[in-house]
Amino acid sequence: MRASLFITCYNDTLFPETGRAVVRLLERLGVTLDFQPKQTCCGQMHSNTGFRGEAFSQAKRFVRLYQDAEIVVIPSSSCVAMIRDQYPGIIAELGNEALRKDFEALVPRVYELSEFLIDRLGVEDVGATFTHRVVYHASCHGVRVLHLGERPYKLMAKVRGLDLATLANVDRCCGFGGTFSVKNAEVSSAMLTAKLQDVLATKAEYCTALDNSCLMHLGGAMHRQYAGMKTIHLAQILASTETEAAL
Amino acid sequence: MSHATPGRISLDPRFAPPFPQAAEQMLRNPQLRKNVGHAIDVIQAKRGKLVVEKADWQELRSAASAIRFHVLDNLGAYLEQFEARCTAAGGHVHWAADAAEARQIILDLLRQENATEVIKIKTMTSAEIQLNPFLQAAGINAYETDLAEIILQLGDEEPSHIVVPALHINRSQVREIFARAMGLKNLSSEPKELTNAARTYLRKKFLTVPAAISGANFLVAETGTVAIVESEGNGRMCLTLPQTMISLVGIEKVLPRFQDLEVMLQLLARSAVGERMNPYTSLWTGVTPGDGPQNFHVVLLDNGRSRILAKNKERQTLKCIRCAACMNSCPVYRQTGGHAYGSVYPGPIGAILTPQLMRMKYARTLPYASSLCGACYEVCPVKINIPEVLLELRSQVVNQERKQAGRFFDLMYLGLRIANLIFATAWGFHAAQRMGRVGLRFFTRKDGWIHALPSIGAKWTQTRDLRGLPKQTFHQWWATRTKEGK
């Protein structure tokens, strides 16, 4: 199977290890990966801040870059949510009929990582080993827009050695919200503190998620507070084996 | 007088501070946050249990959404039908284009009755048009009769929630307010004693005041009926004892058929207070000779609603049945409480409704008072896609900014405009990454983390660290790997 990797601007710049883990994981599962070097950003930051005109150009760019891809895999739930939930409205507003048709043909082939593994590859056991206590943060867009549901839990259940902690108020936002974390920094921080209390109460070693944006927020506070917990994208856990440690 | 919530914030959007500023003030109040968090946890837990036991919850939501959209598509016709049926049953219907007109109509009606006092059932519309201070200035004292509203009125406090308006005040604070305002030195904070104090205070009003003002939860076009749901029975008293009754109702509150109440009432009680049924549901149609108020008036309030109705994405705001499930589920509201929103409508629904009622001239920070987590949309009993409307309003705010000269001094604005140019080409993006790496090196400590950034970045680093940029981006790694022939 061939799949094209949309790594996202955020992961490319700040979390390249997540991208490398996705490559290691998917190649291990027999997927042939492409990487479209012209990729930049899905436009979520612009759209969510109200810069819709700017988001138009990113949406158009995404469709044009990937319209010929067999499958697009994206290790970021909020970027997939942007494409699936916001692109239809954005593209309708643009009134470009050809673009709309190409988008509609493309969107069923766009997968978030856990969707790709479970729905498309049909695997739950990816052959991973990660002998740590882990808490899973269910990112809002993964829960409420993509409806990822049990998928990440199914994957984690099959990871050897992984001790999954139960998180209270699992569906409550960590307070990141993109530019919200800066525009409303104080409220965002208060939400973060509340989230962190639940996360730290699990006494896990690692906090994982399918979205590095939440993890950057949680991880930034953990580092500031010497909290003794680290963040790690689920792809990195799934990529690690007995012989190859997590990236 | 000492307030339970020090540092009062105006709930008039024209004078309220920007949300981030007001919110910061609220965040510094541990008592308020404790009260809000506790109250919301209780309501949320009750609601959660009741939603699970209702197997057709999602179908009910879909039905309610369809009914409300149908109403909005045919609003004029249903309002006229309501007017005809209500009038035929002996009621009088008045149309108010804006707040000033509504206030004047109500004042004139009260003056016709020579009323100097009026009792009130909790009504959001009267708060929206700031009716109480207006009446007071005209020499008419308005007495709230809902327990929470009494607490606010006697304590000179502002409401912080649309269903549980005094949820930011706890029991011992209520005791203080009652003891002071009612002259009851030995009052304890036992709920029974507190409600008894309120009951004694109220009973006199119910028996002596000849006129009442209410809002309405629904109007039924088919029958000309007005519906109010409540928990305390104070509404029932107001609806039966006075001679004159005035109901101030937003034009969007109409339902086509009596039967539609079946769907709405099931959703409303569960969503609002986590009850299968609210204790008192009052339905009345016009005037019944010899029973209840003999002068009955409905004031239909537009006040910006028809303008919202004309807008494609925003019109769903008017589906709202004011249950407050959105604010109870909102992680932002949970931290700040309602006053930070600077409006009588707080929480997610307030964040979309208030700026629209203000024609986007005021409350422009409210559409940004959300992390877009989507919890509000998930619980909304009439399926208002609040995140979608927030985004629409944000784009209107940005479009206003695009015309302002000051935009060139706004780092957020500039940053996003530049980012758009950067993301337009791969080389631009990669050049920006290289520049960012060089620029951030100065702020990166030996452990590879950034602890403090200047300017807008300080908003991030005031509470969180930031990992320094890795030496190699993913696309660089991929290129090396490909070169090595992997």
Side-chain angles (χ1 to χ4, degrees):
Chain A
M1 191 181 298
R2 287 189 78 83
S4 193
L5 183 59
F6 180 60
I7 193 67
T8 78
C9 60
Y10 204 77
N11 285 328
D12 187 44
T13 313
L14 295 160
F15 300 95
E17 67 273 26
T18 298
R20 297 201 301 271
V22 173
V23 173
R24 190 204 276 180
L25 170 68
L26 295 186
E27 288 187 345
R28 190 172 79 215
L29 296 171
V31 180
T32 309
L33 282 174
D34 281 338
F35 182 77
Q36 167 53 261
K38 285 187 175 168
Q39 62 183 269
T40 56
C41 168
C42 69
Q44 184 185 192
M45 177 173 67
H46 284 100
S47 182
N48 285 358
T49 315
F51 290 74
R52 192 178 293 140
E54 287 76 359
F56 285 159
S57 55
Q58 313 296 2
K60 205 167 153 183
R61 201 179 141 77
F62 177 85
V63 176
R64 289 294 166 240
L65 277 177
Y66 289 96
Q67 58 190 11
D68 297 324
E70 203 174 304
I71 284 168
V72 185
V73 178
I74 308 177
S76 168
S77 51
S78 65
C79 304
V80 181
M82 168 71 187
I83 291 160
R84 225 175 267 164
D85 192 45
Q86 291 199 43
Y87 275 19
I90 285 174
I91 287 169
E93 227 170 294
L94 274 171
N96 180 337
E97 196 52 27
L99 183 70
R100 189 185 62 79
K101 276 191 187 150
D102 290 335
F103 170 70
E104 279 171 11
L106 169 64
V107 75
R109 308 199 302 274
V110 174
Y111 291 88
E112 183 281 326
L113 179 67
S114 69
E115 292 175 337
F116 178 68
L117 292 171
I118 300 227
D119 304 350
R120 187 68 200 232
L121 289 185
V123 289
E124 289 181 14
D125 186 347
V126 297
T129 299
F130 191 74
T131 47
H132 297 283
R133 183 164 169 82
V134 172
V135 56
Y136 176 73
H137 166 64
S139 305
C140 299
H141 293 164
V143 172
R144 300 196 184 87
V145 183
L146 303 186
H147 305 286
L148 294 181
E150 289 301 306
R151 289 182 189 85
Y153 298 98
K154 283 179 180 170
L155 292 165
M156 285 184 288
K158 296 286 161 62
V159 175
R160 285 149 201 75
L162 190 147
D163 170 21
L164 184 68
T166 308
L167 178 62
N169 304 306
V170 64
D171 60 353
R172 194 176 286 162
C173 180
C174 75
F176 175 63
T179 50
F180 173 79
S181 63
V182 173
K183 271 184 177 279
N184 278 286
E186 292 75 21
V187 182
S188 167
S189 297
M191 292 161 73
L192 174 60
T193 301
K195 186 84 219 174
L196 214 52
Q197 275 169 4
D198 288 333
V199 169
L200 294 178
T202 64
K203 305 227 186 312
E205 296 155 84
Y206 287 92
C207 175
T208 192
L210 284 160
D211 202 317
N212 268 330
S213 53
C214 316
L215 291 181
M216 181 171 90
H217 197 225
L218 288 161
M222 286 173 189
H223 192 265
R224 169 66 57 92
Q225 297 174 21
Y226 301 91
M229 192 185 291
K230 279 189 167 180
T231 52
I232 186 169
H233 192 287
L234 187 57
Q236 290 158 245
I237 291 179
L238 298 178
S240 75
T241 60
E242 249 172 87
T243 49
E244 284 186 299
L247 288 159
Chain B
M1 187 194 283
S2 75
H3 286 282
T5 43
R8 200 185 181 86
I9 285 166
S10 169
L11 297 193
D12 184 335
R14 291 171 302 170
F15 309 117
F19 180 80
Q21 214 173 301
E24 185 178 5
Q25 194 179 321
M26 293 298 121
L27 292 173
R28 300 279 184 212
N29 186 337
Q31 181 70 66
L32 176 128
R33 288 176 71 182
K34 196 177 154 200
N35 295 352
V36 171
H38 172 73
I40 281 184
D41 282 346
V42 170
I43 303 172
Q44 280 288 81
K46 282 168 75 184
R47 178 197 168 275
K49 277 184 202 152
L50 292 185
V51 167
V52 171
E53 75 174 22
K54 201 91 185 110
D56 60 348
W57 184 253
Q58 295 306 335
E59 286 82 357
L60 274 172
R61 287 179 74 216
S62 300
S65 174
I67 291 168
R68 296 298 292 145
F69 263 136
H70 172 80
V71 166
L72 297 181
D73 290 342
N74 303 279
L75 189 58
Y78 284 126
L79 286 171
E80 284 177 5
Q81 191 185 9
F82 172 82
E83 180 184 31
R85 302 285 153 87
C86 178
T87 309
H92 303 275
V93 176
H94 311 261
W95 301 75
D98 55 27
E101 226 175 274
R103 288 190 296 253
Q104 197 57 48
I105 292 169
I106 293 170
L107 179 62
D108 291 345
L109 290 171
L110 291 173
R111 286 217 166 122
Q112 276 170 31
E113 306 296 323
N114 296 317
T116 54
E117 293 182 314
V118 63
I119 48 176
K120 289 182 71 197
I121 312 178
K122 178 179 149 39
T123 141
M124 290 310 304
T125 39
S126 87
E128 177 186 324
I129 67 166
Q130 302 177 10
L131 184 64
N132 289 6
F134 175 81
L135 291 180
Q136 198 175 13
I140 297 174
N141 287 323
Y143 301 108
E144 297 292 344
T145 64
D146 175 270
L147 180 58
E149 293 283 350
I150 297 169
I151 295 166
L152 298 178
Q153 194 170 38
L154 296 180
D156 195 21
E157 281 277 334
E158 297 278 19
S160 69
H161 189 278
I162 63 171
V163 171
V164 202
L167 108 165
H168 60 289
I169 299 174
N170 70 15
R171 239 193 307 149
S172 72
Q173 293 167 312
V174 172
R175 193 208 71 84
E176 280 168 37
I177 292 169
F178 279 10
R180 192 173 56 220
M182 298 175 185
L184 304 169
K185 271 183 205 153
N186 300 321
L187 190 68
S188 84
S189 61
E190 280 306 303
K192 199 174 165 187
E193 262 195 59
L194 294 175
T195 43
N196 265 337
R199 181 193 290 249
T200 312
Y201 163 86
L202 279 177
R203 195 50 55 112
K204 217 186 311 169
K205 308 283 182 223
F206 287 137
L207 293 174
T208 56
V209 179
I213 292 172
S214 81
N217 292 96
F218 304 103
L219 304 174
V220 181
E222 177 183 61
T223 54
T225 303
V226 182
I228 283 189
V229 299
E230 41 128 0
S231 302
E232 296 164 17
N234 61 304
R236 187 64 63 78
M237 300 291 248
C238 292
L239 292 167
T240 48
L241 291 170
Q243 272 302 297
T244 298
M245 174 78 208
I246 304 167
S247 299
L248 173 68
V249 190
I251 52 170
E252 81 283 15
K253 286 291 175 70
V254 67
L255 294 175
R257 302 166 305 170
F258 200 80
Q259 199 189 330
D260 298 325
L261 287 170
E262 177 217 336
V263 173
M264 295 300 167
L265 294 179
Q266 288 191 72
L267 287 165
L268 182 53
R270 286 176 171 83
S271 300
V273 282
E275 302 282 358
R276 290 190 186 89
M277 197 178 166
N278 45 280
Y280 295 87
T281 302
S282 300
L283 304 167
W284 73 100
T285 307
V287 170
T288 306
D291 184 12
Q294 297 301 295
N295 310 310
F296 173 53
H297 300 269
V298 176
V299 181
L300 294 172
L301 177 71
D302 185 325
N303 202 30
R305 288 164 174 76
S306 52
R307 212 172 46 238
I308 300 172
L309 184 67
K311 298 198 170 159
N312 196 21
K313 273 187 201 158
E314 298 96 303
R315 69 197 318 237
Q316 57 182 314
T317 311
L318 299 176
K319 284 157 77 182
C320 179
I321 56 171
R322 305 283 189 269
C323 74
C326 61
M327 56 201 78
N328 297 338
S329 72
C330 178
V332 172
Y333 180 93
R334 193 189 159 72
Q335 298 301 331
T336 64
H339 296 154
Y341 293 79
S343 163
V344 297
Y345 298 111
I349 188 65
I352 60 172
L353 180 61
T354 306
Q356 294 189 73
L357 290 176
M358 293 287 117
R359 297 170 178 253
M360 300 302 289
K361 277 188 194 154
Y362 303 97
R364 282 182 296 208
T365 53
L366 286 187
Y368 290 94
S370 162
S371 64
L372 302 174
C373 82
C376 48
Y377 182 27
E378 189 179 35
V379 297
C380 178
V382 292
K383 289 191 174 177
I384 302 171
N385 189 337
I386 293 178
E388 183 186 28
V389 181
L390 286 168
L391 287 180
E392 173 59 32
L393 300 180
R394 287 180 186 189
S395 91
Q396 291 174 19
V397 172
V398 169
N399 285 340
Q400 290 178 346
E401 283 176 2
R402 289 185 207 274
K403 295 181 198 115
Q404 291 160 359
R407 69 188 183 275
F408 297 115
F409 300 98
D410 182 338
L411 288 172
M412 179 71 85
Y413 182 89
L414 278 181
L416 281 155
R417 289 290 297 138
I418 293 166
N420 187 52
L421 297 176
I422 287 170
F423 289 138
T425 59
W427 72 262
F429 176 46
H430 298 161
Q433 286 175 325
R434 281 192 296 274
M435 280 163 62
R437 204 176 300 137
V438 174
L440 286 176
R441 201 176 291 157
F442 178 72
F443 300 99
T444 310
R445 290 194 188 175
K446 274 186 192 147
D447 66 355
W449 285 76
I450 297 165
H451 293 241
L453 283 170
S455 178
I456 208 168
K459 284 284 185 185
W460 177 275
T461 53
Q462 69 186 20
T463 52
R464 322 100 170 158
D465 291 339
L466 180 69
R467 208 181 62 168
L469 293 193
K471 291 201 175 69
Q472 194 184 37
T473 62
F474 177 79
H475 76 265
Q476 286 170 331
W477 174 79
W478 181 274
T480 334
R481 183 176 181 264
T482 315
K483 223 181 263 173
E484 285 165 2
K486 272 213 178 179

